[in-house]
Amino acid sequence: MRIVIVGGVAGGMSCAARARRLDESAEIIVLERGAHVSFANCGLPYYVGGEIADPQALLVQTPESLRAALALDVRPGNEVIALDASARTVTVRSADGLEEIGFDALVLSPGASAFVPPIPGVDSPRVRTLRTVEDAMALREKVTAGARRAVVLGAGFIGIEAAEALAAQGLEVSVVELAPQPLPPVEPELAWLVSEELRALGIDLHVGVAAISIQHGADADTVVLADGTQLAADLVVMSVGVRPDTAIFEEAGVACERGAMIVDSHGRTSIPNIWAVGDATLSVDPITGARRPVALAGPANRAGRLVADDILRPEIAREIPQPVGTAIVRVGSLTAALTGANRTVLDAAGTRYRTLHLHANQHAGYFPGASQIHLVVHLDAESGRLLGAQAVGAEGVDKRIDVLATAIRAGMTAEDLIDLDLAYSPPYGQAKDAVNLTGMVGENVLNGTLDLWYADDFDDVMGTALVLDVRRDDEWATGHLPGALHIPHTELRERIDEVHGLADGRPVRVMCASGVRSAIAHRVLTQAGVDSASLSGGILTLRAVLGARGVDILEAEGALQRA
C-alpha cells in the first residue's frame, strides 16, 4: 500500500509515524512544501524572544532522522499543486520540476496559512508573519540587527506571545487588536487582567481599532490606525488569524465549508480513500455542536494517529474525539488558559447556562507565596454539566484548566467536581482545591442555596437595589460603590434590622472581595426574609468588568451610610 501524506508538522507526521508502526510493508511518502517537515511551531515566539537560543532546537525531526527511525520517504520542498481524485494522483512541484504521484490512501494535512489583510503597504519588507522557522529567524535577525520599535497586528495567542517576546528583547512594542480586548476568546473580566499585565510589561495596547495602512519609510514604516493613531515600526508582526489552506483540494472535489474540509468521525473526506486532519478540517464542538476549525497542535496530533488506524485497521479504529479547544498562553508573570465554550459560543447556540466566578488560592493561604487563580466557569443551567472554564493567575492555572478539560471530556457535573480526589500538600494546593470549590459553588447555585448577581448587571442593580458591602473597614476604604451600605459580615446578624429599614422593600445585592463572605451574608439575609443575591466573584470581578470606568465609580474615602 502507498500512503501519501500532504503536509508534515503535527497531523501529517503523527499519521506517518503511526502508519509505519502499524505496517512495515507500507510505502509512506510525506510531501511538505516548506523546508522543515517537523518543527515546533508553538516554540517560534520563544526563539524570537531569545529564550530558545538555537534554531535547531525547533526542529523536532529531520528527513534523515525520520528515514533512519521509521523508513519514511519525507520530501521537503515538495508542493502539491493539484489532485486528481478519480485517478488517485497528486501533482507535485519541486526544484526538480513537476511530478505525478499515485496513492492508495491520501491524507491531507495542509494546515492553515497566516491571513494577511489587504491593506495598503502590507507588502513592506518590514512586515512578517510568524508561522514558520524562517519567519522566526527573520524576526530574530531584525531584533539582533537593532530594531527598536515593533507593532504586532492581532492580539490572539501568537500575537501576545510575539509581543511579550519582543518586549523582553527591549523593543518598544505596540499591539493592535480589532476586538475590544486582547485574547478575544477569553471572557472580558479575565481579558482585563491580561490587558493590565501587558501594560505592566510596557506594551502599548490599542483595542477596538483596525490598522488601515502601512506607510513605507526609509528608516521605518508607519502603521496608521482607523482612529488616526500613527505607530512607527522597524518591524511589523502580522498575526490577525489564519485561513485553512484548502483551495487546491476543494477545487478537486473535496467538500469544504467556509474553506475548511468536512470530515467524518474517522477523518474521512467526501472522497473515498482521502482523509484529512489538522487546522484545515472542520471539527464539531462537543458542547454546542457548532462546526469550526480548531487550530491547535494537540488535536491535530491525535487525529493524525487515529487516521492512520482507520487506514490500516479500520475494524478497530477509534473515532476522532471532538476537541474542546484547550489552550494556554503566558503573559508576563501571568498565565491565561481556557477550555470548552465561552459566553459568546454558548449564547450563539442558545444554551442556558450559569456562570461562576472564583478567586481561590493556588495553594494553602498560610504557605508562603500564595496567589489567586481567577476562574470563570460555565455550567449547564439544568444538568450542572461543565460547559467551559477559563483562568488567569500567576501559578497553578495549567493544573486547574487541565483538570477541568478532563472533566468536560468526561461529561462531569458540578457535583462531580466536588468529589474529585486531587493531590494536596500546602506548597501545591488546598484541601478544598479550586476545582472542588468550583463544584461546591456550582452545586449551591444550581440547587438554589446561593443566588448570584453579576457585574454585568451593575447599572440595573445600582438603580433598583440596596447594595450591601460586607467587607472589613480597611477594605471598604480602598474603594466602594457610591450609596452602598457597609456592614462587615461579622456584624450582619446583629444589624439585620438596619438592612430591612434601608432596603425599604427593595432587593439587597451583597458584595465582598471575592464572593466568599457575601455568600455567607446571603444565607443570613435569605433566612431573615430578605430578597438577596451575592455578587459573583466579588469586587475583584467587578473591577475587572468595569475596567477603566471603575476608577471613576469606586469611591475610596469615607464610608457612606456607615453607622
Side-chain angles (χ1 to χ4, degrees), residues 225-401:
L225 307 187
D227 62 4
T229 301
Q230 297 189 5
L231 304 171
D234 301 312
L235 63 90
V236 178
V237 180
M238 188 67 66
S239 185
V240 296
V242 296
R243 297 293 185 271
D245 207 353
T246 59
I248 293 168
F249 311 114
E250 187 171 11
E251 184 179 335
V254 175
C256 294
E257 183 178 307
R258 298 189 306 277
M261 290 179 284
I262 299 170
V263 295
D264 69 8
S265 60
H266 289 281
R268 304 168 188 144
T269 70
S270 59
I271 300 177
N273 303 304
I274 300 180
W275 289 255
V277 297
D279 299 358
T281 63
L282 279 180
S283 297
V284 177
D285 188 318
I287 306 299
T288 66
R291 287 145 61 99
R292 79 286 192 243
V294 176
L296 294 170
N301 270 286
R302 292 188 290 274
R305 183 179 191 274
L306 291 171
V307 162
D309 285 358
D310 193 59
I311 293 170
L312 292 168
R313 52 180 195 186
E315 67 282 353
I316 60 171
R318 293 189 300 110
E319 294 185 348
I320 297 172
Q322 298 170 343
V324 297
T326 306
I328 191 166
V329 63
R330 186 187 69 188
V331 188
S333 64
L334 297 179
T335 298
L338 69 160
T339 187
N342 61 16
R343 283 193 194 94
T344 301
V345 170
L346 293 171
D347 289 341
T351 304
R352 292 185 62 251
Y353 61 95
R354 300 300 304 269
T355 298
L356 315 176
H357 298 85
L358 294 94
H359 305 278
N361 285 340
Q362 96 283 20
H363 67 224
Y366 58 80
F367 191 86
S371 63
Q372 288 178 316
I373 299 171
H374 307 283
L375 268 167
V376 177
V377 178
H378 305 303
L379 303 173
D380 184 274
E382 296 179 4
S383 68
R385 181 171 63 95
L386 185 63
L387 302 177
Q390 301 186 2
V392 171
E395 293 183 5
V397 166
D398 53 344
K399 170 181 174 180
R400 275 66 185 201
I401 287 296

Side-chain angles (χ1 to χ4, degrees), residues 118-257:
I119 61 175
V122 77
D123 57 343
S124 167
R126 295 188 178 96
V127 176
R128 299 291 308 197
T129 57
L130 188 50
R131 292 284 293 175
T132 67
V133 174
E134 289 76 20
D135 287 337
M137 293 178 70
L139 284 170
R140 180 75 178 144
E141 287 173 7
K142 289 183 180 294
V143 170
T144 56
R148 296 181 296 107
R149 297 159 299 184
V151 174
V152 179
L153 299 182
F157 284 81
I158 297 297
I160 291 298
E161 289 173 336
E164 180 188 22
L166 293 167
Q169 288 295 302
L171 277 73
E172 299 175 16
V173 180
S174 297
V175 174
V176 180
E177 170 57 52
L178 181 60
Q181 63 179 55
L183 299 180
V186 172
E187 302 294 6
E189 57 267 44
L190 296 182
W192 174 254
L193 303 177
V194 172
S195 298
E196 291 294 277
E197 184 66 13
L198 289 171
R199 294 187 178 100
L201 293 173
I203 293 172
D204 183 27
L205 189 60
H206 300 263
V207 296
V209 64
I212 59 173
S213 69
I214 299 173
Q215 299 176 353
H216 300 186
D219 300 319
D221 286 349
T222 300
V223 179
V224 181
L225 307 187
D227 62 4
T229 301
Q230 297 189 5
L231 304 171
D234 301 312
L235 63 90
V236 178
V237 180
M238 188 67 66
S239 185
V240 296
V242 296
R243 297 293 185 271
D245 207 353
T246 59
I248 293 168
F249 311 114
E250 187 171 11
E251 184 179 335
V254 175
C256 294
E257 183 178 307

